[in-house]
Amino acid sequence: MAPLLARVRAAVDTSEYRGFAARIWQTAGLAALAQGNYVTAYAQLSRLFAADGTPLHHHFSYLAVADLAAAAVRAERHLEARTLLERALARVDPAPGPRLAQLTARARGLLAEPDRAEAHFAAPLADPTGDTWPFERAQLQLDYGEWLRRQRRINDAKPILVTALETFRRLGAAPWTRRAESELRACGVTVQAPQGAPGALDGLTAQQREIVILAGHGLTNGEIADRLFLSPRTVASHLYRSYPRLGIAGRRQLRDIIDQQITPGAGR
């Protein structure tokens, strides 16, 4: 991801195309969050606003406020981020619309003191309009469910976390899927990998099927590439396109799919 974003930045004058620049920094920050690089994520996302809260772009910068808060919490930059975001949000219309309202509520919930967080998390969930942006909605549910679990309100947390997990699985958002599964396990819930549809491998091309089988047997992308005379990038691309067809979120679930659908000796 980083090399690709670097090439994009080199090809576009980000000082002139600020909307484009804002999307680049947001993407870089989200990728760092997914990898657990929270300090890097905060550094990338905070570039969307000047110290006085002025946004790099009047629209796109604000779409990252919740992810900025999430990175700040994990990078232990609470106070700094709270100040920055409140300065930025002071420039927003008092009625910003349901999408930004949902993002803002998540950001404030993450950065609030524990006894004040719930009001921020719960309010946008009462508005069904927020489902229009399923990934953002599921992120809010995950953070709220995590907060509820830490408050030992396990029975309240479970249905919210289950809903978030279902969305992340459907979208193929593997890092968030794993986090939701971890939160549910912490609630005492046994989390099972989703079952692949019968004959799901039949929907793949011959090459995709072979790559999936090898990946399910534990080979790395580089090892698969060497065996099939492909590039690791091509292998990764085939796997990425195969996951939704198999009804799974990522590589870790391939073994279950293969055990269900491949007879002994197949793919050897």
Side-chain angles (χ1 to χ4, degrees):
M1 176 66 74
L4 177 60
L5 290 172
R7 289 200 299 272
V8 172
R9 284 197 296 268
V12 177
D13 183 354
T14 53
S15 64
E16 180 177 356
Y17 298 99
R18 293 194 172 191
F20 198 85
R23 298 315 297 264
I24 290 174
W25 294 125
Q26 182 184 13
T27 301
L30 195 60
L33 268 176
Q35 295 165 2
N37 298 327
Y38 304 124
V39 173
T40 298
Y42 182 75
Q44 302 279 23
L45 293 166
S46 62
R47 297 187 66 156
L48 293 165
F49 298 95
D52 65 355
T54 302
L56 176 63
H57 186 268
H58 64 90
H59 173 67
F60 292 127
S61 287
Y62 287 100
L63 297 183
V65 293
D67 291 326
L68 174 56
V73 168
R74 288 161 179 80
E76 299 184 352
R77 307 288 285 273
H78 296 69
L79 181 59
E80 178 183 330
R82 189 182 302 146
T83 300
L84 176 62
L85 286 177
E86 289 306 327
R87 288 173 177 171
L89 294 171
R91 300 168 180 269
V92 176
D93 188 293
R99 186 179 189 184
L100 184 53
Q102 180 167 260
L103 291 169
T104 299
R106 178 178 166 231
R108 285 178 166 149
L110 285 165
L111 295 171
E113 296 300 323
D115 61 341
R116 298 182 180 180
E118 184 169 21
H120 295 295
F121 286 137
L125 292 177
D127 183 358
T129 309
D131 290 326
T132 305
W133 304 277
F135 180 63
E136 293 168 6
R137 184 72 149 195
Q139 286 181 297
L140 170 64
Q141 291 165 332
L142 177 56
D143 288 328
Y144 185 28
E146 181 181 53
W147 180 87
L148 288 167
R149 180 185 65 77
R150 290 180 175 176
Q151 303 304 307
R152 300 186 179 181
R153 292 168 54 185
I154 303 300
N155 289 335
D156 291 332
K158 287 178 184 178
I160 295 173
L161 291 170
V162 166
T163 301
L165 175 59
E166 290 173 349
T167 301
F168 290 137
R169 282 179 168 174
R170 175 167 54 85
L171 297 175
W176 288 268
T177 296
R178 291 192 291 270
R179 186 176 148 211
E181 289 173 342
S182 177
E183 287 295 326
L184 280 167
R185 291 190 188 99
C187 289
V189 176
T190 300
V191 180
Q192 297 181 343
Q195 300 294 310
L201 290 176
D202 297 337
L204 304 179
T205 66
Q207 189 170 72
Q208 286 173 340
R209 179 185 172 92
E210 189 168 12
I211 289 171
V212 162
I213 292 171
L214 292 173
H217 288 158
L219 275 70
T220 66
N221 287 2
E223 290 169 338
I224 296 170
D226 288 342
R227 183 172 295 196
L228 301 182
F229 303 101
L230 301 170
S231 72
R233 180 177 295 180
T234 298
V235 171
S237 177
H238 279 305
L239 286 171
Y240 180 80
R241 291 198 297 269
S242 298
Y243 295 151
R245 297 180 184 180
L246 295 172
I248 62 176
R251 193 187 199 100
R252 291 172 24 155
Q253 296 167 261
L254 284 176
R255 186 57 182 261
D256 292 334
I257 295 291
I258 291 171
D259 287 345
Q260 294 164 21
Q261 302 192 37
I262 301 296
T263 57
R268 295 181 184 175

